[in-house]
Amino acid sequence: MSNIRVRIAPSPTGPLHVGTARTALFNYLFARHHDGKFILRIEDTDLERSDKKYEEDIFEGLRWLGIEADESPECSGPHGPYRQSERIKIYKKYIQKLLDERRAFYCFHSKKELEEEKEKLLAAKHPPIHLCEYRTLDPAEAAMFTQAKSDYIIRFKTPSGRKIEFQDLIRGDVSFDSDLLGDFSIAKRVDVPLYNFAVIIDDETMEISHVIRGEDHISNTPKQLLLIEALGFKIPQYAHLPLILGSDRSKLSKRHGPASVNEYRAAGYLPEALFNFLALLGWNSGNDREFFSKKELIKEFSLEKVQKSGAIFDITKLDWMNGEYIRKKSAKELLELCQPFLADFLQNQNSKIKIQNDYLEKIIKLEQPRLKKLAEIGERTEYFFWAPEYDKELLCWKNMSDTELIASLEAAEKIISNFQTPISKEKIEEAFLKEIGEGDKGRILWPLRVALTGKKASPGPFEIMEILGIEESLRRIAAAKQKKM
Ligand code: GLU
């Protein structure tokens, strides 16, 4: 067991976002690769916006993806509690320490005053930095003010003229000028810490060795480093992951596809496909390889191979990848995976039909080469459950006349009538091809396929007839002929 301890610290203010899942995954792979620990803790100090249902969603989403935490609110551990709301006493002690040492102070500016100050600075083309005049206020006086005023926060007394430098494992040397930070806020009250403060206390007390998080947090790092220094804590190694961008290179948003892991799950993406896809969002193995099992990713993963530039979230690639993972499933596995999606589909169609598993297995196997998402299964295969509905124009191949169409359907009918269920796809195909000879295949096969499925696109008519059986196939051809008359 190594001393490597990493963490993911989501706020339960919304469903588990794919970006958070990617950060969780990189932390997880890093921990597993180094035989370290992966910690999940919940940043729920913002009680108004935090919600237990989102906490559940985070646990559930990570579990579904196969990103298991070694320590978390669910499984506990030696450094708990793992919810910030349960750690207030710990934070309070350190906030008080900074106040006592006069490294932090109470600020009594109202929101309105702060906004006016910001506007003035911006108008004068100065950076909007708040160097607070309360930083030198006598503690006894400040204590009196806190009794009298309700509007106050606690700020850190940022040292001036300091260059704050750190070595980011992905971005290399990073430096910030302390004069650009201002006296930043660390807590609303002594028992209501804010993000930058709570996070460094958690990282220290949970013995976090590496902070691997999104690049959007890089500007928080100098503030956290100053607090770490003020409290005499150990500095963790930082690795800021590249932003995730949509396919148009803008920041990933709803426009680019579902945002939450749950939505991907509901659309029928497989967890192992999403796991693989997320791992490639900013990381590669150094060659073009795209498919990795979880075990292989754990073995291959390293922070050195994480890129600096933004990672493109290409939903078309995810769809393709998911299809490839679907193809790897055995018929039995895919049947089990599809069943809940099919049940939902039938329910939405108000259908109470019961479908035999062996019939279903054949249908699913037929769709397996084309399926991209499990949730497509119902719509793609519904013609196996009930007679299709479609516009009669769809039956026509090219500019076929009514008479030609009837002739085509009758020719198919004639061939099929020579068979009996069960038939083999090969046998019936052979009979059709013999009959068509050198002629245009579409003239016979297109109207037949549409009569069977009612769809613009589907598997070929022979495979379908093999499953549908002779009687039902003939019934559908008869119905198609009726349509045209
Ligand atoms: N709650 C923060 C987030 O989810 C945690 C940031 C951090 O890892 O420091 O973005």
Side-chain angles (χ1 to χ4, degrees):
M1 185 64 58
S2 72
N3 290 330
I4 285 187
R5 291 177 55 84
V6 293
R7 84 311 190 261
I8 176 87
S11 305
T13 51
L16 176 63
H17 191 272
V18 279
T20 311
R22 195 273 309 247
T23 306
L25 177 59
F26 280 34
N27 274 283
Y28 173 82
L29 293 174
F30 183 74
R32 291 287 173 272
H33 180 90
H34 293 284
D35 202 14
K37 295 272 189 220
F38 169 63
I39 290 108
L40 164 63
R41 67 174 190 241
I42 294 290
E43 292 206 340
D44 61 348
T45 37
D46 185 346
L47 289 176
E48 258 162 51
R49 291 178 58 227
S50 298
D51 195 321
K52 278 272 177 231
K53 76 169 186 248
Y54 294 131
E55 191 179 296
E56 263 317 306
D57 185 88
I58 293 167
F59 295 155
E60 181 59 30
L62 292 175
R63 212 178 2 251
W64 176 73
L65 274 170
I67 303 178
E68 315 92 21
D70 300 304
E71 297 169 29
S72 76
E74 279 191 312
C75 66
S76 198
H79 298 79
Y82 293 91
R83 268 185 206 95
Q84 286 189 336
S85 58
E86 294 163 13
R87 300 171 59 80
I88 297 301
K89 258 202 214 138
I90 310 175
Y91 308 125
K92 198 172 166 182
K93 183 176 95 190
Y94 289 107
I95 296 174
Q96 196 56 56
K97 183 172 189 289
L98 289 183
L99 283 168
D100 292 346
E101 290 172 1
R102 302 194 67 177
R103 285 169 171 268
F105 62 92
Y106 286 99
C107 158
F108 300 98
H109 285 293
S110 66
K111 266 204 181 95
K112 194 165 164 267
E113 283 171 333
L114 291 169
E115 256 152 44
E116 281 168 5
E117 180 192 69
K118 189 173 164 186
E119 270 167 34
K120 258 194 214 149
L121 285 166
L122 285 173
K125 301 220 174 339
H126 288 301
I129 298 157
H130 178 65
L131 273 179
C132 192
E133 52 207 345
Y134 290 108
R135 67 194 333 250
T136 51
L137 187 69
D138 180 73
E141 225 174 316
M144 260 162 47
F145 271 34
T146 54
Q147 307 289 320
K149 290 200 171 204
S150 59
D151 221 9
Y152 67 84
I153 55 168
I154 301 168
R155 290 182 185 275
F156 183 68
K157 206 185 276 181
T158 301
S160 65
R162 282 276 307 278
K163 207 170 175 190
I164 306 150
E165 292 173 309
F166 66 96
Q167 248 257 326
D168 189 277
L169 293 173
I170 296 164
R171 317 203 64 80
D173 291 332
V174 183
S175 93
F176 285 90
D177 183 348
S178 74
D179 291 339
L180 293 176
L181 298 177
D183 294 330
F184 57 89
S185 50
I186 58 170
K188 284 192 184 161
R189 301 274 180 283
V190 82
D191 51 3
V192 187
L194 292 170
Y195 161 69
N196 278 314
F197 189 79
V199 79
I200 62 124
I201 304 295
D202 290 344
D203 287 342
E204 166 76 12
T205 52
M206 294 183 186
E207 294 174 26
I208 297 302
S209 62
H210 292 71
V211 169
I212 306 169
R213 62 184 170 196
E215 196 190 285
D216 45 332
H217 283 292
I218 206 154
S219 58
N220 287 320
T221 311
K223 297 177 186 168
Q224 294 172 14
L225 282 167
L226 286 175
L227 292 169
I228 288 172
E229 183 188 75
L231 288 166
F233 290 170
K234 196 161 175 265
I235 302 172
Q237 299 252 17
Y238 290 98
H240 286 93
L241 305 176
L243 289 181
I244 305 179
L245 308 173
S247 37
D248 55 0
R249 304 200 72 88
S250 65
K251 195 167 180 276
L252 190 67
S253 75
K254 275 262 177 215
R255 250 176 334 112
H256 301 107
S260 72
V261 168
N262 242 336
E263 286 171 276
Y264 284 91
R265 182 179 183 176
Y269 290 92
L270 298 177
E272 57 271 44
L274 193 57
F275 191 102
N276 189 159
F277 176 78
L278 290 176
L280 299 178
L281 282 183
W283 173 86
N284 66 70
S285 62
N287 54 40
D288 292 341
R289 182 164 169 203
E290 308 230 62
F291 287 92
F292 294 88
S293 67
K294 181 172 175 176
K295 218 168 140 195
E296 288 165 337
L297 281 168
I298 290 171
K299 185 163 173 272
E300 298 274 328
F301 186 83
S302 76
L303 287 174
E304 288 88 67
K305 290 201 178 116
V306 175
Q307 72 199 39
K308 283 198 194 84
S309 56
I312 309 279
F313 192 102
D314 180 356
I315 189 102
T316 322
K317 178 172 166 183
L318 173 60
D319 286 355
W320 162 75
M321 225 172 192
N322 201 53
E324 294 297 313
Y325 273 95
I326 286 178
R327 277 180 286 280
K328 289 187 198 170
K329 296 285 174 197
S330 71
K332 281 254 163 336
E333 284 170 332
L334 196 55
L335 172 70
E336 252 173 52
L337 286 165
C338 285
Q339 263 163 341
F341 288 92
L342 217 44
D344 277 355
F345 176 77
L346 293 176
Q347 199 181 18
N348 288 338
Q349 301 287 323
N350 284 326
S351 168
K352 294 210 164 32
I353 56 163
K354 289 264 167 289
I355 309 161
Q356 297 292 327
N357 272 358
D358 47 351
Y359 184 60
L360 208 50
E361 200 175 306
K362 284 186 208 155
I363 295 168
I364 290 173
K365 211 166 157 212
L366 181 62
E367 274 303 327
Q368 191 168 14
R370 276 162 285 263
L371 204 56
K372 288 203 171 91
K373 290 173 263 183
L374 301 176
E376 293 169 352
I377 192 70
E379 220 179 291
R380 278 179 174 274
T381 61
E382 58 180 336
Y383 56 86
F384 283 111
F385 313 135
W386 47 73
E389 278 173 34
Y390 53 93
D391 286 339
K392 57 184 180 182
E393 285 73 29
L394 192 60
L395 285 164
C396 292
W397 173 249
K398 295 184 179 160
N399 294 325
M400 218 173 212
S401 70
D402 273 15
T403 332
E404 286 170 320
L405 174 63
I406 298 298
S408 157
L409 289 168
E410 281 178 349
E413 212 169 22
K414 203 168 143 222
I415 306 170
I416 301 166
S417 312
N418 292 329
F419 286 86
Q420 272 184 346
T421 311
I423 48 155
S424 89
K425 166 192 164 297
E426 288 76 18
K427 287 248 155 60
I428 201 157
E429 181 168 8
E430 200 183 297
F432 266 86
L433 294 184
K434 201 165 145 213
E435 179 67 27
I436 297 168
E438 295 296 297
D440 176 3
K441 285 197 189 90
R443 286 186 76 77
I444 301 280
L445 300 187
W446 177 271
L448 168 62
R449 199 193 53 72
V450 174
L452 297 172
T453 66
K455 296 212 178 282
K456 271 201 193 106
S458 74
F462 311 121
E463 292 102 312
I464 293 171
M465 285 192 286
E466 189 178 57
I467 299 174
L468 220 45
I470 294 300
E471 296 72 20
E472 183 57 22
S473 301
L474 288 172
R475 252 197 301 278
R476 291 191 183 185
I477 296 171
K481 278 162 61 188
Q482 292 275 319
K483 269 193 187 257
K484 229 25 203 176
M485 306 277 215

